[in-house]
Amino acid sequence: MGDLRIGIGYDVHAFASGRPLVLGGVDISHSAGLAGHSDADVLVHAIMDAILGALREGDIGRLFPDTDPAYAGISSLDLLARVGGLMVERGFRLLDADTVLVLEEPRISPYRDEMRARVAAALAVEPDRIGIKATTTERLGFEGRGEGVGAQAVVLLERVSG
Ligand code: MG
């Protein structure tokens, strides 16, 4: 077996009116978007933190501080591509990623394949390596009350050089 590393990522953003809802790099039609410094793509943020965790490179707050105006409104997919570049630079490739979005609304299934394609493209891997699911919390907690969206991600990396 090769040199394998796992990483876990978790993120939450609150709903805010007057913002676009971007999940997995896809614009989703909804009555509210998510508050945040970037486009607030909570799913992509969780994936980035999972990769950075596996690389032992801290987290996205360290890499892309939200006090830095350079990241205001930036597409999180662009940031994910940079994290993917760092992964390659460190000698690793992404073997697999699985994720779960936690939210009451909207329904994710119509957008799932497009999200997988966009996340995979940003990381230069096949869409087959990216899993995206969604669950509700039976109306319990902040996600269940529709106050925000949570996302969890796990990744498996393999060292290919270095
Ligand atoms: Mg975030």
Side-chain angles (χ1 to χ4, degrees):
M1 190 152 57
D3 182 357
L4 303 178
R5 305 293 169 90
I6 59 168
I8 184 169
Y10 174 65
D11 196 24
V12 168
H13 281 260
F15 275 117
S17 56
R19 295 261 307 173
L21 179 61
V22 183
L23 294 173
V26 177
D27 283 297
I28 291 175
S29 169
H30 194 54
S31 54
L34 295 174
H37 186 65
S38 65
D39 63 7
D41 189 330
V42 66
L43 178 63
V44 170
H45 291 185
I47 296 169
M48 288 195 282
D49 261 354
I51 295 171
L52 291 171
L55 294 174
R56 310 296 186 253
E57 287 284 344
D59 56 42
I60 53 174
R62 195 175 95 188
L63 219 61
F64 311 116
D66 64 9
T67 48
D68 188 336
Y71 303 120
I74 196 168
S75 162
S76 295
L77 279 186
D78 290 350
L79 301 180
L80 179 62
R82 291 189 213 182
V83 168
L86 178 68
M87 174 179 70
V88 170
E89 217 173 273
R90 294 288 186 268
F92 286 88
R93 72 179 179 119
L94 183 103
L95 285 181
D96 204 40
D98 195 23
T99 66
V100 57
L101 276 163
V102 185
L103 75 178
E104 204 64 35
E105 285 187 318
R107 285 190 62 80
I108 292 308
S109 50
Y111 304 97
R112 185 203 321 265
D113 288 345
E114 184 65 24
M115 290 179 185
R116 292 177 64 211
R118 292 201 186 183
V119 168
L123 288 169
V125 299
E126 306 86 344
D128 179 51
R129 294 186 189 274
I130 308 295
I132 296 177
K133 311 179 294 301
T135 188
T136 68
T137 56
E138 301 292 337
R139 302 207 171 271
L140 295 170
F142 68 87
E143 301 104 326
R145 291 189 297 268
E147 295 168 6
V149 179
Q152 300 180 38
V154 291
V155 298
L156 183 65
L157 309 188
E158 178 183 35
R159 186 188 288 279
V160 287
S161 66

